[in-house]
Coordinates of all heavy atoms in Angstrom, one line a residue:
R290 N 86.4 108.4 84.9 CA 85.6 108.7 86.1 C 85.4 107.4 86.8 O 85.6 106.3 86.2 CB 84.3 109.3 85.7 CG 83.4 108.5 84.9 CD 82.0 109.1 84.7 NE 82.0 110.4 84.1 CZ 81.8 111.6 84.7 NH1 81.6 111.6 86.0 NH2 81.7 112.7 84.0
P291 N 85.1 107.5 88.1 CA 84.8 106.2 88.9 C 83.7 105.5 88.1 O 82.7 106.1 87.7 CB 84.3 106.8 90.2 CG 84.9 108.1 90.4 CD 85.1 108.7 89.0
G292 N 83.9 104.2 87.9 CA 82.9 103.4 87.1 C 83.1 103.4 85.6 O 82.4 102.8 84.9
S293 N 84.2 104.1 85.2 CA 84.5 104.1 83.7 C 85.1 102.8 83.3 O 85.2 102.5 82.1 CB 85.5 105.2 83.4 OG 86.7 105.0 84.1
V396 N 83.2 107.9 79.6 CA 81.9 107.3 79.9 C 81.1 108.3 80.6 O 81.6 109.1 81.4 CB 82.1 106.1 80.9 CG1 80.7 105.5 81.3 CG2 82.8 104.9 80.3
G397 N 79.8 108.4 80.2 CA 78.9 109.4 80.8 C 78.7 109.1 82.3 O 78.8 107.9 82.8
R398 N 78.3 110.1 83.0 CA 78.1 110.0 84.5 C 77.1 109.0 84.9 O 77.2 108.2 85.8 CB 77.9 111.3 85.1 CG 77.6 111.3 86.6 CD 77.7 112.7 87.1 NE 77.3 112.7 88.5 CZ 77.7 113.6 89.4 NH1 78.4 114.6 89.1 NH2 77.3 113.6 90.7
A399 N 75.9 109.0 84.2 CA 74.8 108.1 84.5 C 75.2 106.6 84.3 O 74.9 105.8 85.2 CB 73.6 108.5 83.7
E400 N 75.8 106.4 83.2 CA 76.3 105.0 82.9 C 77.3 104.5 84.0 O 77.2 103.4 84.5 CB 76.9 105.0 81.5 CG 77.7 103.8 81.1 CD 76.9 102.5 80.9 OE1 75.7 102.6 80.7 OE2 77.6 101.5 80.8
A401 N 78.2 105.4 84.3 CA 79.3 105.0 85.2 C 78.7 104.7 86.6 O 79.0 103.8 87.3 CB 80.3 106.1 85.3
T402 N 77.7 105.6 87.0 CA 77.1 105.4 88.3 C 76.3 104.1 88.4 O 76.4 103.3 89.4 CB 76.1 106.6 88.6 OG1 76.8 107.8 88.5 CG2 75.4 106.4 89.9
A403 N 75.6 103.7 87.3 CA 74.9 102.5 87.2 C 75.9 101.3 87.3 O 75.6 100.3 88.1 CB 74.1 102.4 85.9
R404 N 77.0 101.4 86.7 CA 77.9 100.3 86.7 C 78.5 100.1 88.1 O 78.8 98.9 88.5 CB 79.1 100.6 85.8 CG 78.8 100.5 84.4 CD 80.1 100.9 83.7 NE 80.0 100.9 82.2 CZ 81.0 101.1 81.4 NH1 82.2 101.4 81.9 NH2 80.8 101.1 80.1
M405 N 78.7 101.1 88.9 CA 79.3 101.0 90.2 C 78.5 100.2 91.2 O 79.1 99.6 92.1 CB 79.6 102.4 90.7 CG 80.8 103.1 90.0 SD 80.9 104.8 90.4 CE 81.9 104.7 91.9
T406 N 77.2 100.2 91.0 CA 76.4 99.5 92.0 C 76.6 98.0 91.9 O 76.4 97.3 92.8 CB 74.9 99.8 91.8 OG1 74.6 99.5 90.4 CG2 74.6 101.2 92.1
G407 N 77.1 97.5 90.7 CA 77.3 96.0 90.6 C 78.8 95.7 90.8 O 79.2 94.5 90.6
R408 N 79.6 96.6 91.2 CA 81.0 96.4 91.3 C 81.4 95.5 92.5 O 80.8 95.8 93.6 CB 81.8 97.7 91.3 CG 83.3 97.6 91.4 CD 83.9 98.7 90.8 NE 83.9 99.9 91.6 CZ 84.5 101.0 91.3 NH1 85.0 101.1 90.1 NH2 84.5 102.1 92.1
H419 N 82.5 92.7 88.1 CA 81.2 93.3 88.0 C 80.2 92.1 87.9 O 80.4 91.2 87.1 CB 81.0 94.2 86.8 CG 79.8 95.0 86.9 ND1 78.6 94.5 86.5 CD2 79.6 96.3 87.3 CE1 77.6 95.5 86.7 NE2 78.2 96.5 87.2
T445 N 78.9 103.4 98.2 CA 77.6 103.7 98.7 C 77.0 104.8 97.8 O 77.8 105.6 97.2 CB 77.5 104.2 100.1 OG1 78.2 105.5 100.1 CG2 78.2 103.3 101.1
P446 N 75.6 104.9 97.6 CA 75.1 105.9 96.7 C 75.6 107.3 97.0 O 76.0 108.0 96.0 CB 73.6 105.8 97.0 CG 73.4 104.4 97.4 CD 74.6 104.0 98.2
I449 N 79.3 107.5 95.9 CA 79.5 107.4 94.5 C 79.2 108.8 93.9 O 80.0 109.3 93.0 CB 78.5 106.4 93.9 CG1 79.0 105.0 94.3 CG2 78.4 106.5 92.4 CD1 78.0 103.8 93.9
D450 N 78.2 109.5 94.3 CA 77.8 110.8 93.8 C 78.9 111.8 94.1 O 79.3 112.6 93.2 CB 76.5 111.3 94.5 CG 75.5 111.8 93.5 OD1 75.4 111.1 92.4 OD2 74.9 112.8 93.8
Q453 N 81.8 111.2 91.8 CA 81.6 111.7 90.5 C 81.8 113.2 90.4 O 82.3 113.8 89.5 CB 80.2 111.3 90.0 CG 79.9 109.8 89.9 CD 80.7 109.2 88.8 OE1 81.2 109.8 87.9 NE2 80.8 107.9 88.8

Side-chain angles (χ1 to χ4, degrees):
R290 63 171 64 252
S293 64
V396 173
R398 178 167 174 155
E400 162 75 12
T402 301
R404 288 179 182 181
M405 288 169 84
T406 53
R408 181 151 78 180
H419 191 280
T445 64
I449 287 173
D450 229 39
Q453 297 291 344

